[in-house]
Amino acid sequence: MSDLEDLYQEMILDHGRRPRNSGAMPDATCQAEGFNPLCGDRITVYAKVSGDQINALSFEGSGCAISQASASLMTEALKQTNTNTATELFEKFQNLVTGKEELIDIEAPPSLGKLEVLRGVQRFPTRVKCATLAWHTLMAAIRGNADTVTTE
Ligand code: ZN
């Protein structure tokens, strides 16, 4: 394992153990619940959205380290952005974790930034749903879809 992979591993464990932006948001303007039956990961994503501006993001959940770390990294990457950036970043992130990196235009913003630490997920196809659960759930929240999102 390379030093870079060690560092990525360390960051995932850190975010898994001490998730950022974790907790309910009583004054959220939208929220959604997500469930990944394959692994048992559950998450609720809360957002304060005004127009297309994302002003705050948080999540509550339980599940594996990948699902928790991914949710934590997502809230960090997307707070103070807008819904277009969220959609574009989700597309890039999905291509990253499913191993379709050739589809990612690295020149074009938004940059994946710290989300790159989840690159290793591409070697474990069954964990892709753990990594994308928070994102699917956020998209449902933004679109006002109140049904529980499941990855199946
Ligand atoms: Zn999981």
Side-chain angles (χ1 to χ4, degrees):
M1 198 184 262
S2 72
D3 289 349
L4 190 62
E5 282 178 328
D6 278 348
L7 177 70
Y8 283 2
Q9 190 70 27
E10 200 45 53
M11 282 181 71
I12 292 167
L13 289 173
D14 179 50
H15 276 266
R17 268 190 227 115
R18 297 186 303 117
R20 320 301 197 268
N21 308 301
S22 140
M25 190 188 292
D27 55 344
T29 58
C30 50
Q31 69 185 71
E33 285 174 30
F35 177 48
N36 172 17
L38 213 61
C39 180
D41 310 315
R42 287 185 185 278
I43 191 169
T44 306
V45 173
Y46 304 89
K48 254 185 251 182
V49 180
S50 156
D52 66 351
Q53 216 42 47
I54 300 173
N55 294 314
L57 267 182
S58 74
F59 76 100
E60 272 184 317
S62 58
C64 67
I66 298 284
S67 69
Q68 296 292 295
S70 178
S72 174
L73 287 157
M74 178 190 80
T75 57
E76 283 214 313
L78 295 182
K79 61 182 179 184
Q80 308 299 334
T81 59
N82 58 53
T83 53
N84 275 342
T85 302
T87 307
E88 286 165 17
L89 210 49
F90 180 29
E91 201 177 309
K92 283 190 175 179
F93 180 68
Q94 228 169 358
N95 284 329
L96 177 77
V97 295
T98 54
K100 296 178 195 139
E101 287 187 68
E102 71 280 5
L103 299 180
I104 301 173
D105 182 356
I106 51 165
E107 305 282 308
S111 136
L112 280 162
K114 279 193 201 166
L115 297 171
E116 296 250 6
V117 302
L118 288 161
R119 165 177 281 128
V121 168
Q122 59 186 235
R123 294 200 308 271
F124 306 94
T126 58
R127 308 315 293 276
V128 169
K129 287 171 178 173
C130 303
T132 54
L133 177 65
W135 291 83
H136 283 295
T137 309
L138 172 68
M139 291 301 143
I142 290 173
R143 291 178 192 136
N145 180 352
D147 295 337
T148 299
V149 181
T150 106
T151 52
E152 291 302 298

